[in-house]
Amino acid sequence: MNQRFDTILKSGTVVNQDGEGVRDIGIVSGRIAEIGSLANASAAAVIDCKGLHILPGVIDTQVHFREPGLTHKEDLETGSRSAVMGGVTGVFEMPNTAPLTVTEAAFTDKVRSGTHRMHCDFAFFVGGTRENVQELPELERAAGCAGVKVFIGSSTGALLVEDDASLRRIFQVIRRRAAFHAEDEYRLNDRKSLRIEGDPRSHPVWRDETAALMATQRLVALAHETGKRIHVLHISTKEEIEFLRGHKDVASCEATPHHLTMAAPECYERLGTLAQMNPPVRSADHREGIWYGVTQGIVDVLGSDHAPHTLEEKSKSYPASPSGMTGVQTLVPVMLDHVNAGRLSLARFVDLTSAGPARLYNIACKGRIAAGYDADFTIVDLKRSETITNNWIASRAGWTPYDGMRVTGWPVGTFVRGKRVMWQGELVTPSQGEPVRFLETLKP
Ligand code: DOR
């Protein structure tokens, strides 16, 4: 049979639901058409992937791209440029922009601004507040919406719903899985005096492990009470991992590369406020506890929590310095380095970055390499050693906490719906990002 494809990816090692093996992938109209040996087929473009691993496109389910309102830090174009340079094919973006993404107008504006301007596919979270509870059922069903996000402890921006009564009202009206920033606001307020001026090592003392655990426990209780599903973002403590293993029916959770890679106090001594994040990076025993959650399958997804601030903003003296670091571009290389060091398998990396997001959020036609699915691929050279530098970072913020870190395992290609967007460190196709589609809202 002489089949004809738009593109054939030739002889890559495909990492897939049926294991790992050398295969060709034929693409037609942005979708995967055939997987196997396509020696007799022809295509407008044949791309040699020998020696490279082809992974399902990495979906980063937590990024902050700052548009509208804070575009001196980042915007949808620069943030998504950073994503594809790092091998990421899809992002879920957070609602703490200015204005906050809490109304239909603000949400629609984001989708309009991102479409065919962002370099990867995208979805936006809508922020849950006391004021918009009644609109949430409608808002969470909008095309391009990843669901509702609630901050139950305050971080960057004004989004905050700290009390159980208001949270309960939100839980009662929503239908989809909602995502939460889980730090207990009351405890954070009580402990503010523990911050030491000029010393970011006091950040995890102020925002301690109990604040994170208390918030996660409250959310799980509300989820059981109301019969809803929750996703706990950026787990930072070993106690939350131990707690959540008993509640996998209602709760999924995310780990971030920084909580898996850095540890206090070393990161604060070396990086100062650049390591300042909410929830904080904690001591090495918490890092090990989160790794345990990865190896045991308790952690469902990896998200970067890409939260850019300018170096000037970050150079303010703690605690005036804002919390957040870039991460969308370094997620793949930092985690592949962990794969090479034997801390997780490549199959588990794929599970956490594509199959995991697809399962939690019911993404349509993404998250695996299968005929009929979108041709989204993260193509990596597992043997390539590179040094991560600020210079490489495409984010407008222009820095990474991993500057100078030598890693083995590097993203060399990003395909979004059949288009080669990044290849060997160059952006090769103009922006074409579109909203991710979800099974629950195919027909809003
Ligand atoms: O450190 C953080 N920064 N944590 C968050 O949850 C928000 C983020 C930001 O938007 O800057």
Side-chain angles (χ1 to χ4, degrees), residues 255-306:
T256 71
H258 49 277
H259 288 114
L260 290 167
T261 307
M262 301 178 187
E266 186 276 333
C267 65
Y268 299 106
E269 284 157 5
R270 185 167 49 87
L271 296 166
T273 60
L274 296 186
Q276 181 192 334
M277 279 299 281
N278 299 331
V281 175
R282 308 184 192 280
S283 54
D285 56 325
H286 289 292
R287 182 176 61 186
E288 291 323 305
I290 302 167
W291 272 113
Y292 178 75
V294 169
T295 57
Q296 295 302 303
I298 299 166
V299 172
D300 296 276
V301 292
L302 289 173
S304 72
D305 195 5
H306 177 82

Side-chain angles (χ1 to χ4, degrees), residues 80-287:
S80 61
R81 177 185 292 253
S82 196
V84 297
M85 293 303 285
V88 170
T89 60
V91 293
F92 290 6
E93 205 266 348
M94 287 295 165
N96 56 337
T97 44
L100 300 169
T101 319
V102 295
T103 60
E104 207 218 321
F107 179 81
T108 312
D109 187 50
K110 269 195 176 175
V111 173
R112 194 189 41 73
S113 305
T115 301
H116 298 164
R117 184 164 147 256
M118 290 176 73
H119 300 276
C120 58
D121 284 351
F122 57 83
F124 297 111
F125 282 97
V126 62
T129 69
R130 285 182 194 78
E131 292 71 35
N132 73 355
V133 180
Q134 292 316 319
E135 286 97 69
L136 288 178
E138 187 86 25
L139 286 169
E140 70 169 351
R141 295 185 58 79
C145 184
V148 173
K149 155 85 182 276
V150 182
F151 284 84
I152 80 164
S154 39
S155 189
T156 304
L159 277 175
L160 178 66
V161 181
E162 70 273 50
D163 64 292
D164 279 2
S166 304
L167 287 167
R168 184 175 290 109
R169 287 175 59 220
I170 293 176
F171 273 72
Q172 281 165 344
V173 298
I174 59 176
R175 301 286 278 278
R176 298 178 67 188
R177 183 184 297 275
F180 293 87
H181 181 115
E183 289 184 281
D184 186 275
E185 180 71 4
Y186 304 105
R187 187 169 172 94
L188 296 185
N189 281 334
D190 286 349
R191 296 172 63 83
K192 266 198 171 139
S193 62
L194 295 171
R195 299 182 298 181
I196 300 171
E197 170 68 39
D199 188 357
R201 283 176 307 183
S202 63
H203 194 57
V205 178
W206 165 39
R207 303 181 84 110
D208 70 345
E209 43 270 71
T210 307
L213 179 63
M214 281 169 68
T216 294
Q217 288 174 330
R218 286 171 50 206
L219 290 169
V220 164
L222 284 165
H224 283 303
E225 179 193 319
T226 56
K228 297 292 159 72
R229 292 164 289 165
I230 61 167
H231 179 58
V232 187
L233 297 160
H234 39 44
I235 294 293
S236 63
T237 70
K238 59 182 195 287
E239 288 84 2
E240 286 170 286
I241 293 289
E242 278 310 317
F243 173 68
L244 285 171
R245 74 190 295 162
H247 301 280
K248 292 304 293 177
D249 49 352
V250 293
S252 57
C253 68
E254 170 195 84
T256 71
H258 49 277
H259 288 114
L260 290 167
T261 307
M262 301 178 187
E266 186 276 333
C267 65
Y268 299 106
E269 284 157 5
R270 185 167 49 87
L271 296 166
T273 60
L274 296 186
Q276 181 192 334
M277 279 299 281
N278 299 331
V281 175
R282 308 184 192 280
S283 54
D285 56 325
H286 289 292
R287 182 176 61 186

Side-chain angles (χ1 to χ4, degrees), residues 205-443:
V205 178
W206 165 39
R207 303 181 84 110
D208 70 345
E209 43 270 71
T210 307
L213 179 63
M214 281 169 68
T216 294
Q217 288 174 330
R218 286 171 50 206
L219 290 169
V220 164
L222 284 165
H224 283 303
E225 179 193 319
T226 56
K228 297 292 159 72
R229 292 164 289 165
I230 61 167
H231 179 58
V232 187
L233 297 160
H234 39 44
I235 294 293
S236 63
T237 70
K238 59 182 195 287
E239 288 84 2
E240 286 170 286
I241 293 289
E242 278 310 317
F243 173 68
L244 285 171
R245 74 190 295 162
H247 301 280
K248 292 304 293 177
D249 49 352
V250 293
S252 57
C253 68
E254 170 195 84
T256 71
H258 49 277
H259 288 114
L260 290 167
T261 307
M262 301 178 187
E266 186 276 333
C267 65
Y268 299 106
E269 284 157 5
R270 185 167 49 87
L271 296 166
T273 60
L274 296 186
Q276 181 192 334
M277 279 299 281
N278 299 331
V281 175
R282 308 184 192 280
S283 54
D285 56 325
H286 289 292
R287 182 176 61 186
E288 291 323 305
I290 302 167
W291 272 113
Y292 178 75
V294 169
T295 57
Q296 295 302 303
I298 299 166
V299 172
D300 296 276
V301 292
L302 289 173
S304 72
D305 195 5
H306 177 82
H309 299 285
T310 65
L311 279 175
E312 195 187 340
E313 291 163 338
K314 289 294 269 184
S315 70
K316 288 183 185 160
S317 178
Y318 182 83
S321 45
S323 294
M325 56 175 76
T326 63
V328 71
Q329 194 169 336
T330 45
L331 182 152
V332 172
V334 167
M335 293 308 300
L336 290 182
D337 193 59
H338 287 308
V339 169
N340 271 309
R343 294 193 191 98
L344 78 167
S345 67
L346 192 57
R348 180 68 172 125
F349 174 77
V350 166
D351 179 51
L352 288 162
T353 54
S354 52
R359 173 170 54 82
L360 296 195
Y361 289 96
N362 287 322
I363 299 172
C365 296
K366 292 190 189 292
R368 57 200 254 142
I369 297 176
Y373 272 56
D374 289 352
D376 292 352
F377 306 113
T378 299
I379 302 181
V380 304
D381 183 344
L382 275 187
K383 298 208 177 83
R384 180 155 153 191
S385 286
E386 285 281 344
T387 302
I388 295 173
T389 60
N390 286 343
N391 228 355
W392 176 62
I393 298 296
S395 161
R396 181 162 292 147
W399 63 274
T400 165
Y402 304 107
D403 181 49
M405 179 175 161
R406 188 94 185 146
V407 292
T408 304
W410 196 253
V412 296
T414 308
F415 273 71
V416 180
R417 279 174 291 103
K419 295 253 168 42
R420 182 160 63 160
V421 177
M422 183 278 281
W423 193 249
Q424 297 292 354
E426 301 291 331
L427 202 63
V428 289
T429 305
S431 45
Q432 41 139 40
E434 291 186 0
V436 169
R437 298 182 314 131
F438 297 91
L439 301 183
E440 287 151 303
T441 56
L442 284 176
K443 194 166 181 296

Side-chain angles (χ1 to χ4, degrees), residues 58-80:
V58 167
I59 302 168
D60 185 344
T61 43
Q62 191 187 180
V63 302
H64 303 262
F65 281 174
R66 310 301 192 200
E67 180 179 339
L70 302 156
T71 52
H72 66 286
K73 301 175 198 269
E74 193 78 287
D75 67 27
L76 295 173
E77 192 277 319
T78 57
S80 61

